Structure formats: structure tokens, C-alpha cells
Amino acid sequence: MNTEAKKVYFHTFGCQMNVYDTGKMRAQLTADGFEETDVPEEADLVLLNTCSIREKAVDKMLSNLGEHRRRKREGQKLTIGIAGCVAQERGKELMERFPDVDLVFGPDGVPAVRDLVSAAMEGKRVLDTDFLDLDNYPFVADVDPSDHGVSAFVTIQKGCDNKCTFCIVPSTRGIEVSRPAAEIVQETRDLVARGVQEIVLIGQNVNSYGLKRADCPTFAQLLYQVAEVPGVERIRYTTSHPRDMGDDVMQAYRDLPQLTSHLHLPVQSGSNKILRRMKRYYTRERFLEVVDKLRDARPDIQLTTDIIVGFADETDEDFEETMTLLDEVGFVGSFSFKYSPRPGTPALKMKWSVPPEVASERLTRYQDRQRELSLAWHRGLEGQTVDILVEGPSRHDEGVVCGRTSTHAMINVPGDLSLVGKTLPARVTRGFTHSARGELV
Ligand code: 5AD
Ligand code: SF4
């Protein structure tokens, strides 16, 4: 392919799967002679990797797309590609509505990005939203060239077989396929060889890894295999479904010091009625049981979660149950959202009776309380000495680096970049809402 010195600009929206997919596109295109640029005005190719989880994400992407289209209208020679979940969901519509968009492909197009881009740059208009063959799913092995930091993602599955009624992901990312364990271990080795210390295993529902394949270990067994790779200091994973947190995973928390003492466990709601409407297949009581078991297995574990407010016919009483669950578990952080109706999801057929302003009030109340809990957590660390893995420069202060505890608290300490990648003891001096300050001891 003749793409010498062509420049590509990526813009990634959405979740860790998209960040990872962009990395895989970066790996393939730079191997093909593309150079990455962070200046869209210099680009020959713009690739937007899009998210459709909430309408807001789609709006953001459309307004961003508008800027690229404007520059193209004003004369920049530019190929515009839309990848990811919005492309999958609305591919045809995007092609029709935006004649100056050259290329549209869904998440399953990532392994073929070279050919797709090459056709588009030769002047064809390309739409590819076919799902790939599940039996031989071509997970991309090339490592993202920008993965030489402290922490890197490794995908362990694609797609999702759950049918949470609010969620568009099963239709944008298709049926769940587990990646062969040998590939996961090999990618882990490749990343460690580049200096990565922390491996984050990612998938839409990691706990169901391997269950459909006789030749795959279970998720818990996979954790042991990854932990055996020399040089892996920390292992995290996301996203977990509370229904599928089995006793074998609890055991892994007892056995594997590499597993960090933090788990992101989306609960969505504290009300059993709403959980039923969401088809989450667990109750508040079962969720609390999982939390107890986790704390038995790993007493210092800290939990974060995802919450949706204003779903279906959520009453004040239902919402109060979410508020009391927040306190009962003591989540140290939450991603919380107002329900956003998504095309093609089962929830569209449900009665939806929460006025937007009520949903907004609930969200504000939830977030206010969460901030108090996060602040209390960081303040509780004051005076303690904790081990932090130094990740990089602080975003705000020069001469300060930030690192994470195993529980995922962010601690800023005076220091220089030579500390990056080291695990060092730090004494916490002051806790804030989103982080704490400390000094190395
Ligand atoms: N509206 C609002 N939030 C949603 N999420 C998923 N679908 C929707 C929706 N339709 C949230 C869930 C999920 C997180 C990734 O996004 O909380 O865990
Ligand atoms: Fe967004 Fe979900 Fe797609 Fe991730 S999988 S990019 S969160 S729609």
C-alpha cells in the first residue's frame, strides 16, 4: 500500500474497549507507513472511534465530526473514517447523511483496518458493518506502539451475551467471543518486554470468559496464567458482572498478590424492582453477599461502581434504595448517569415515567454523596504509608508525579520522571475528593 508519510489523526470516544481498538488500529496503520499526528489540520486521514452508550456520546462525536467535515469543505485533502459503535449502529445513515465521510466500519472492522483505509484512500466510499465469523475471530496481535507506559490493556473477549435492557452494546459489539488464553499470555509477555508493569484485562463481561469454549480456561484460571508471566506486577480487570463473581475468583484474591485490591463492580441500581426491569439477574441482597465475600477474601479491597438513575418507572423509594446501597457498600467512586434511551434496546418498550428534572435531581444527590464518600476515603489515608506504583507526571503540578495504590487511590508526590514505573512507599499527607497528596519515604 502506498501511504508513505501519510498522517493519521485518531479521536477515541467511549470505553476502554475503544481505547484498545484504537491502539490496534494505530499498530496496523503505523506498520503500514502511516505517521500519527495530534494535529487534525495536518492529517490525511481522520479516524473517529465512536461510542453510542448514551445519546450524549453520540452528540459529542457528531459535533466533532462537523469540525473535520468543515476543514474538508474548506480545502484540506482529508479522508474521514468513522469506526466503532455508532458506525456499527448507524452505518448506513452516516453514509447517507454525510457524503464527505469516506469510510464507516464497526468494531469488527478493526482487524481489517489496513484494507478498509487503503480502499477509502484510493477514493472508494466504504461501509463495512458485517460481524465476523465467531469461530475464527481474528483478535489483533500487533501491540499498540504507544503501549510502553506503566499500564496497558489486554482484551480477553469481544462482544457481550448479556441482555441488560438499557444497553446498546450487545447490538454494537455482537456476540461474545473469548480470545484464546495463549494469545492473552503472549500479549502480556510482549507488553512486559516493553516495560509495562500493570496489565488490565478488558472485556464487556470478563467473568464469563471461556465459558462457551471447551479449549479456554475459566476467567479465574486465566488470572493465574497471567500472574505467572514474569514481570507482571499488577493485574486489574474490567468489566465484571456481579451475577458472575464466582468463588473461584474470590479464591484468586486470596492466592494472587498481583491482583489489585480494587474492583469496579457495576451495580446500576439498589432497587430489586429496577434490577429486575434491567434484567441484571441479581438482587441487592445477592450483590451485598458478593461484596462480603470479596472483603473476606481481600480485606482491604475497595469498590467502585456504575449507577443509572431515572430508569423505567424508578420511584423516589427505588432511588432511595440506590442511595442507601451507596452508603452500605461505601463505594469509593462511581460513574453515574441519567438513563438515556437507546435505539433497538428492550427498555424502549417499557414504561418510562421519570421526568428529566427529577432524574437530574437524583443524579446530583447521588454524586454529592459519592463525593463525600470519596473525600472521606482519601482523608482516611492521611498519616498512612502506602505503596504506590508511579504512573507519570501529575497533570497539574510540575515536579510532582502521580501513582496509584493497589486500591486505586491516586497519590501525588514530589518527584521526577525517573520514578515512573517504580513501586515506592509514600506517606499520605492530605486527602482530597479525587486524589491525595503525599511524600515518598
Ligand atoms: N443510559 C445511561 N447509562 C447507560 N449505561 C449503559 N447504557 C446506558 C443507558 N442507556 C451505563 C451503565 C454501564 C456504563 C458503561 O454505562 O451504567 O455500566
Ligand atoms: Fe461505548 Fe459501549 Fe461501544 Fe464502549 S462498547 S464504545 S461504552 S457503546
Side-chain angles (χ1 to χ4, degrees), residues 15 18 50-53 85 169 173 204:
C15 68
N18 265 19
T50 62
C51 171
S52 55
I53 196 92
C85 291
V169 174
R173 288 192 173 260
Q204 299 299 342

Side-chain angles (χ1 to χ4, degrees), residues 104-369:
V104 173
F105 60 100
D108 273 15
V110 169
V113 69
R114 286 185 171 101
D115 293 341
L116 293 168
V117 160
S118 150
M121 296 200 70
E122 280 161 18
K124 295 196 192 88
R125 287 195 86 212
V126 184
L127 168 67
D128 179 4
T129 50
D130 292 341
F131 284 115
L132 296 175
D133 177 16
L134 302 181
D135 290 332
N136 300 298
Y137 193 84
F139 289 97
V140 179
D142 317 55
V143 171
D144 177 353
S146 68
D147 269 344
H148 40 64
V150 171
S151 179
F153 294 138
V154 174
T155 200
I156 68 166
Q157 73 195 158
K158 82 120 212 167
C160 182
D161 286 352
N162 285 335
K163 298 198 167 46
C164 303
T165 54
F166 52 80
C167 187
I168 197 167
V169 174
S171 73
T172 61
R173 288 192 173 260
I175 291 173
E176 180 191 304
V177 185
S178 293
R179 185 181 193 189
E183 288 182 24
I184 296 166
V185 169
Q186 187 55 48
E187 187 158 311
T188 301
R189 284 211 185 91
D190 293 346
L191 288 163
V192 170
R194 286 164 180 256
V196 167
Q197 271 99 11
E198 177 182 75
I199 295 295
V200 187
L201 303 175
I202 59 169
Q204 299 299 342
N205 186 16
V206 292
N207 302 88
S208 61
Y209 172 82
L211 295 182
K212 293 198 294 188
R213 280 178 80 135
D215 58 342
C216 268
T218 62
F219 176 63
Q221 288 164 342
L222 180 71
L223 290 173
Y224 289 82
Q225 290 192 20
V226 172
E228 266 175 26
V229 175
V232 174
E233 256 183 60
R234 287 185 177 182
I235 303 173
R236 292 196 285 129
Y237 57 89
T238 192
T239 304
S240 282
H241 194 298
R243 178 199 55 197
D244 301 324
M245 288 295 295
D247 289 344
D248 53 351
V249 178
M250 307 293 170
Q251 189 58 42
Y253 277 102
R254 293 198 163 86
D255 295 339
L256 301 177
Q258 296 93 330
L259 261 186
T260 59
S261 294
H262 164 246
L263 181 64
H264 185 66
L265 196 57
V267 65
Q268 313 297 357
S269 169
S271 147
N272 284 336
K273 182 191 93 188
I274 294 298
L275 289 171
R276 253 193 328 273
R277 302 254 196 288
M278 292 175 164
K279 284 216 185 348
R280 293 287 289 177
Y281 298 110
Y282 53 83
T283 58
R284 173 196 181 97
E285 293 72 28
R286 163 77 187 140
F287 184 86
L288 287 168
E289 204 182 301
V290 169
V291 171
D292 281 347
K293 281 186 172 179
L294 278 164
R295 287 184 171 149
D296 266 354
R298 186 61 78 82
D300 69 340
I301 201 163
Q302 296 293 356
L303 299 168
T304 53
T305 199
D306 290 346
I307 292 289
I308 298 176
V309 303
F311 182 71
D313 54 350
E314 182 188 75
T315 61
D316 286 339
E317 291 73 36
D318 292 322
F319 174 66
E320 284 314 315
E321 301 226 45
T322 299
M323 290 299 293
T324 55
L325 187 73
L326 168 59
D327 274 85
E328 212 168 320
V329 176
F331 291 115
V332 294
S334 298
F335 296 109
S336 46
F337 313 100
K338 270 194 282 184
Y339 169 59
S340 166
R342 308 310 297 129
T345 53
L348 287 187
K349 296 199 193 85
M350 282 175 205
K351 199 170 111 216
W352 180 35
S353 53
V354 184
E357 61 282 8
V358 173
S360 297
E361 269 167 36
R362 287 179 188 166
L363 188 65
T364 305
R365 252 191 79 200
Y366 184 90
Q367 291 177 339
D368 286 349
R369 181 63 189 143

